[in-house]
Amino acid sequence: MKNSKLLSLSYSAIIAALYVALTWISNVLGLASGAVQIRLGEALCALAYFIPGAPIGLFVGCLISNLSMALSPLDIIFGSLATLIGAYLGSKMKNKWLVPVPTVVANTVIVPIVILVSYTARDAWSFSTYALTALGVFAGEILSAYLLGMLLLLAMSKYKAFNGIKK
């Protein structure tokens, strides 16, 4: 039991560090924030399919990344929560093709609200502004969380070591 908890904690820490490193790469490329976000770290949400501690590691990694980019407090908190919600719900999926879907949905719903509240003048708020922002976030999440995430998930499915830690 003790080794299992230590292993889960270790995986969470590694995932958090990987998320931060990949998001920093995205940030250097100018892709990590804004209306269209292609955070390479979001692909790691697929790890929730195999690793029980992955959602916590992803949340911590996203939180550290958001803090390091000097985003608004709402963006730091709710952006990180969107990743946690998506990864947690993804960990509950039985069909591996659906694992990235909650991450895409959570970020597409939550992040545009945060962007509008944090970075847009109040008189510019409208459904069309929200819809356009959501479309940009959706596009970025499809590329990072779904496409890259599925590539990661399919590649890792071939390794018995990861299939062995699957819940």
Side-chain angles (χ1 to χ4, degrees):
M1 177 78 86
K2 200 173 195 179
N3 286 338
S4 174
K5 288 183 181 181
L6 181 60
L7 185 61
S8 181
L9 181 63
S10 299
Y11 277 130
S12 294
I14 291 167
I15 290 167
L18 285 171
Y19 187 100
V20 170
L22 290 170
T23 301
W24 282 349
I25 291 169
S26 299
N27 195 37
V28 166
L29 297 172
L31 302 172
S33 59
V36 178
Q37 301 178 9
I38 303 173
R39 289 189 176 199
L40 298 174
E42 287 290 296
L44 299 176
C45 290
L47 296 177
Y49 183 71
F50 300 106
I51 302 169
I56 297 299
L58 291 159
F59 171 72
V60 170
C62 188
L63 187 66
I64 292 169
S65 296
N66 289 346
L67 284 166
S68 72
M69 290 189 289
L71 301 175
S72 78
L74 287 176
D75 206 348
I76 292 166
I77 294 165
F78 290 102
S80 302
L81 285 173
T83 295
L84 175 63
I85 291 166
Y88 174 76
L89 294 175
S91 75
K92 302 300 179 194
M93 296 291 170
K94 302 296 182 210
N95 183 332
K96 67 182 169 189
W97 293 98
L98 298 177
V99 171
V101 170
T103 298
V104 172
V105 171
N107 280 286
T108 299
V109 171
I110 296 169
V111 172
I113 295 168
V114 172
I115 290 171
L116 291 177
V117 171
S118 298
Y119 307 109
T120 307
R122 190 173 188 112
D123 59 347
W125 294 359
S126 68
F127 179 75
S128 61
T129 306
Y130 171 80
L132 285 173
T133 306
L135 185 61
V137 172
F138 176 76
E141 287 295 318
I142 286 292
L143 288 171
S144 58
Y146 199 89
L147 183 65
L148 295 177
M150 281 309 302
L151 289 173
L152 177 63
L153 192 146
L154 293 172
M156 291 182 66
S157 293
K158 296 178 182 179
Y159 296 98
K160 290 182 182 172
F162 286 101
N163 287 320
I165 62 172
K166 186 177 166 184
K167 302 169 256 331

